[in-house]
Amino acid sequence: MTMPSQPAALTCPLCGNREFQTEAGRLDSKWGVTSHKMVLKICTRCRYILHFYDKHSIFDFD
């Protein structure tokens, strides 16, 4: 299996838009023991938020 030369464009699962606002976020555990840095991609049309953690997401099937 060969890898594509460029990754597929990110598409909003709700409205199909391909334009996103990028923000950085942090998720803390209930007791504050752990903290996870996240990248948030916010759809500019419907404001749906895609969460990405540690450069991987549910959209990575490899």
Side-chain angles (χ1 to χ4, degrees):
M1 175 182 225
T2 60
M3 296 297 293
S5 59
Q6 287 189 322
L10 187 62
T11 304
C12 177
L14 293 182
C15 70
N17 186 30
R18 291 190 178 198
E19 294 183 19
F20 293 86
Q21 173 184 341
T22 302
E23 298 289 338
R26 183 178 298 271
L27 179 67
D28 294 323
S29 69
K30 181 177 179 180
W31 303 106
V33 176
T34 58
S35 180
H36 305 283
K37 293 180 183 176
M38 300 179 79
V39 174
L40 308 174
K41 294 287 191 172
I42 306 164
C43 176
T44 57
R45 184 183 299 159
C46 71
R47 308 306 288 171
Y48 183 78
I49 301 172
L50 297 169
H51 302 80
F52 295 91
Y53 170 72
D54 193 26
K55 300 181 183 173
H56 299 288
S57 76
I58 61 170
F59 300 102
D60 292 334
F61 297 108
D62 298 328

